[in-house]
Coordinates of all heavy atoms in Angstrom, one line a residue:
M147 N 4.7 7.1 15.1 CA 5.7 7.2 14.1 C 5.7 5.9 13.2 O 5.7 4.8 13.7 CB 7.1 7.4 14.8 CG 8.2 7.9 13.8 SD 9.7 8.2 14.8 CE 9.3 9.8 15.5
F148 N 5.6 6.1 11.9 CA 5.5 5.0 11.0 C 6.7 4.1 11.1 O 7.7 4.5 11.6 CB 5.3 5.4 9.5 CG 6.5 5.9 8.8 CD1 7.2 5.1 8.0 CD2 7.0 7.2 9.0 CE1 8.4 5.5 7.3 CE2 8.1 7.7 8.3 CZ 8.8 6.8 7.5
V149 N 6.5 2.8 10.7 CA 7.6 1.9 10.7 C 7.9 1.3 9.3 O 7.0 0.8 8.7 CB 7.3 0.7 11.7 CG1 8.4 -0.4 11.7 CG2 7.0 1.2 13.1
R150 N 9.1 1.5 8.9 CA 9.5 0.9 7.6 C 10.7 0.0 7.8 O 11.8 0.6 8.0 CB 9.7 2.0 6.6 CG 9.7 1.5 5.1 CD 10.8 0.6 4.8 NE 10.8 0.2 3.4 CZ 10.6 -1.1 3.0 NH1 10.4 -2.1 3.8 NH2 10.7 -1.4 1.7
N151 N 10.5 -1.3 7.8 CA 11.6 -2.2 8.0 C 11.8 -3.0 6.7 O 10.9 -3.4 6.1 CB 11.3 -3.2 9.1 CG 11.4 -2.5 10.5 OD1 11.8 -1.4 10.6 ND2 10.9 -3.2 11.5
N152 N 13.1 -3.1 6.4 CA 13.4 -4.0 5.2 C 13.9 -5.4 5.7 O 14.0 -6.3 4.9 CB 14.6 -3.3 4.4 CG 14.1 -2.1 3.7 OD1 13.7 -2.1 2.6 ND2 14.2 -0.9 4.4
G153 N 14.2 -5.5 6.9 CA 14.7 -6.8 7.5 C 14.1 -7.0 8.8 O 13.1 -6.5 9.2
I199 N 10.9 12.9 8.3 CA 11.4 11.8 7.6 C 10.2 11.2 6.8 O 9.1 10.9 7.4 CB 11.9 10.7 8.6 CG1 13.0 11.2 9.4 CG2 12.2 9.4 7.9 CD1 13.6 10.2 10.5
E200 N 10.4 11.1 5.5 CA 9.3 10.5 4.7 C 9.9 9.4 3.8 O 11.0 9.6 3.2 CB 8.7 11.6 3.7 CG 7.6 11.0 2.9 CD 6.9 12.0 1.9 OE1 7.6 13.0 1.6 OE2 5.8 11.7 1.5
C201 N 9.3 8.3 3.8 CA 9.7 7.1 3.0 C 9.5 7.5 1.5 O 8.6 8.1 1.1 CB 8.9 5.9 3.3 SG 9.3 4.5 2.3
G202 N 10.6 7.1 0.7 CA 10.5 7.5 -0.7 C 9.3 6.8 -1.4 O 8.8 7.3 -2.4
S224 N 6.9 11.4 9.2 CA 6.8 11.8 10.6 C 7.7 13.0 10.7 O 8.5 13.3 9.8 CB 7.4 10.7 11.5 OG 8.8 10.5 11.2
W228 N 14.6 15.2 17.1 CA 15.7 14.2 17.3 C 16.9 14.9 18.0 O 17.2 16.0 17.7 CB 16.1 13.7 15.9 CG 15.1 12.9 15.2 CD1 14.1 13.3 14.4 CD2 14.8 11.5 15.4 NE1 13.3 12.3 14.0 CE2 13.7 11.1 14.6 CE3 15.5 10.5 16.1 CZ2 13.2 9.8 14.5 CZ3 15.0 9.2 16.1 CH2 13.9 8.9 15.3
Y251 N 25.7 3.7 5.7 CA 25.4 3.2 7.1 C 25.2 1.7 7.0 O 24.9 1.2 6.0 CB 24.2 3.9 7.6 CG 22.9 3.6 7.0 CD1 22.3 2.3 7.3 CD2 22.2 4.5 6.2 CE1 21.1 2.0 6.7 CE2 21.0 4.1 5.6 CZ 20.4 2.9 5.9 OH 19.2 2.5 5.3
Y252 N 25.5 1.1 8.2 CA 25.3 -0.3 8.3 C 24.5 -0.5 9.6 O 24.9 0.1 10.7 CB 26.6 -1.1 8.4 CG 27.4 -1.0 7.1 CD1 28.3 0.1 6.9 CD2 27.3 -1.9 6.1 CE1 29.0 0.3 5.8 CE2 28.0 -1.8 4.9 CZ 28.9 -0.7 4.8 OH 29.6 -0.5 3.6
G253 N 23.4 -1.2 9.6 CA 22.6 -1.4 10.8 C 22.7 -2.9 11.3 O 23.2 -3.7 10.7
A254 N 22.1 -3.0 12.5 CA 22.2 -4.4 13.2 C 21.0 -5.3 12.8 O 20.9 -6.3 13.4 CB 22.3 -4.2 14.7
D255 N 20.1 -4.8 11.9 CA 19.0 -5.7 11.5 C 19.5 -6.8 10.5 O 20.5 -6.6 9.8 CB 17.9 -4.9 10.9 CG 18.3 -3.8 9.9 OD1 19.5 -3.4 9.8 OD2 17.4 -3.3 9.1
P266 N 19.9 -6.2 5.0 CA 18.7 -5.9 4.3 C 18.8 -4.6 3.5 O 18.2 -4.4 2.5 CB 17.7 -5.8 5.4 CG 18.4 -5.7 6.7 CD 19.8 -6.2 6.5
I267 N 19.5 -3.7 4.1 CA 19.7 -2.3 3.5 C 20.9 -1.7 4.0 O 21.3 -1.8 5.2 CB 18.4 -1.5 3.8 CG1 18.4 -0.1 3.0 CG2 18.2 -1.2 5.3 CD1 17.1 0.6 3.0
L295 N 11.4 -0.1 17.1 CA 11.1 -0.2 15.7 C 11.6 0.9 14.9 O 11.7 0.8 13.6 CB 9.6 -0.4 15.5 CG 9.1 -1.8 16.0 CD1 7.6 -1.7 16.0 CD2 9.6 -2.9 15.1
N296 N 12.0 2.0 15.5 CA 12.5 3.2 14.8 C 14.0 3.4 14.9 O 14.6 4.4 14.6 CB 11.8 4.5 15.2 CG 10.3 4.5 15.0 OD1 9.5 4.5 15.9 ND2 9.9 4.4 13.7
G297 N 14.6 2.3 15.4 CA 16.1 2.3 15.4 C 16.9 2.3 16.7 O 18.1 2.6 16.7
R301 N 20.5 5.9 15.6 CA 20.1 6.0 14.2 C 20.7 7.2 13.6 O 20.9 8.2 14.2 CB 18.6 5.9 14.0 CG 17.9 7.2 14.1 CD 16.4 7.0 13.6 NE 16.3 6.7 12.2 CZ 15.1 6.5 11.6 NH1 14.0 6.5 12.3 NH2 15.1 6.2 10.3
P308 N 15.0 10.7 1.0 CA 14.2 9.5 1.3 C 14.5 8.9 2.6 O 15.7 8.9 3.0 CB 14.6 8.5 0.2 CG 15.0 9.4 -1.0 CD 15.6 10.6 -0.3
G309 N 13.5 8.5 3.4 CA 13.7 7.9 4.7 C 14.7 6.8 4.7 O 15.4 6.6 5.8
S310 N 14.9 6.2 3.6 CA 15.9 5.0 3.5 C 17.3 5.5 3.7 O 18.2 4.6 4.0 CB 15.7 4.4 2.2 OG 15.9 5.3 1.1
T311 N 17.6 6.8 3.7 CA 19.0 7.2 3.9 C 19.2 7.4 5.4 O 20.4 7.6 5.9 CB 19.2 8.6 3.3 OG1 18.4 9.6 3.8 CG2 19.1 8.5 1.8
S312 N 18.1 7.3 6.3 CA 18.3 7.5 7.7 C 18.4 6.1 8.4 O 17.4 5.6 8.8 CB 17.1 8.3 8.3 OG 17.1 9.6 7.8
G313 N 19.6 5.6 8.5 CA 19.8 4.3 8.9 C 19.5 4.0 10.4 O 19.8 4.8 11.3
K314 N 18.8 2.9 10.7 CA 18.3 2.6 12.0 C 19.3 1.5 12.6 O 20.0 0.9 11.9 CB 16.9 2.0 12.0 CG 15.9 3.0 11.3 CD 14.5 2.6 11.6 CE 14.0 1.5 10.7 NZ 12.5 1.3 10.8
W315 N 19.3 1.4 13.9 CA 20.2 0.5 14.6 C 21.6 0.5 14.1 O 22.2 -0.5 13.9 CB 19.6 -1.0 14.5 CG 18.1 -1.1 14.7 CD1 17.5 -1.0 15.9 CD2 17.1 -1.3 13.8 NE1 16.2 -1.1 15.8 CE2 15.9 -1.3 14.5 CE3 17.1 -1.5 12.4 CZ2 14.7 -1.5 13.8 CZ3 15.9 -1.6 11.7 CH2 14.7 -1.6 12.4
V316 N 22.1 1.7 13.9 CA 23.3 1.9 13.2 C 24.6 1.5 14.0 O 24.7 1.8 15.2 CB 23.5 3.4 12.7 CG1 23.6 4.4 13.8 CG2 24.6 3.5 11.7
Y336 N 15.2 3.0 -4.8 CA 15.3 4.5 -4.5 C 15.9 5.3 -5.7 O 16.6 6.2 -5.5 CB 16.1 4.7 -3.2 CG 15.4 4.0 -2.1 CD1 15.8 2.8 -1.6 CD2 14.2 4.5 -1.6 CE1 15.1 2.1 -0.6 CE2 13.5 3.8 -0.6 CZ 14.0 2.6 -0.1 OH 13.3 2.0 0.9
Ligands
MTE260 N1 18.9 -0.5 9.4 C1 17.8 0.0 8.7 N2 17.6 1.3 8.5 C2 16.6 1.7 7.9 C3 15.6 0.8 7.3 C4 15.8 -0.6 7.6 O1 15.0 -1.4 7.1 N3 16.9 -1.0 8.3 N4 14.6 1.3 6.6 C5 14.8 2.6 6.0 C6 13.6 3.2 5.3 S1 13.2 2.6 3.8 C7 12.9 4.2 5.9 S2 11.6 5.0 5.1 C8 13.2 4.7 7.3 C9 12.0 4.6 8.1 O2 12.2 5.0 9.4 P1 11.2 4.6 10.6 O3 10.8 3.2 10.5 O4 11.9 5.0 11.8 O5 9.9 5.5 10.4 O6 14.3 4.0 7.9 C10 15.3 3.6 7.0 N5 16.4 3.1 7.7

Side-chain angles (χ1 to χ4, degrees):
M147 200 174 277
F148 77 100
V149 178
R150 197 294 182 240
N151 288 349
N152 290 268
I199 298 179
E200 182 182 21
C201 179
S224 67
W228 293 92
Y251 71 74
Y252 299 85
D255 45 343
I267 186 170
L295 291 166
N296 300 116
R301 84 173 294 174
S310 55
T311 61
S312 293
K314 305 195 281 188
W315 312 287
V316 68
Y336 300 102

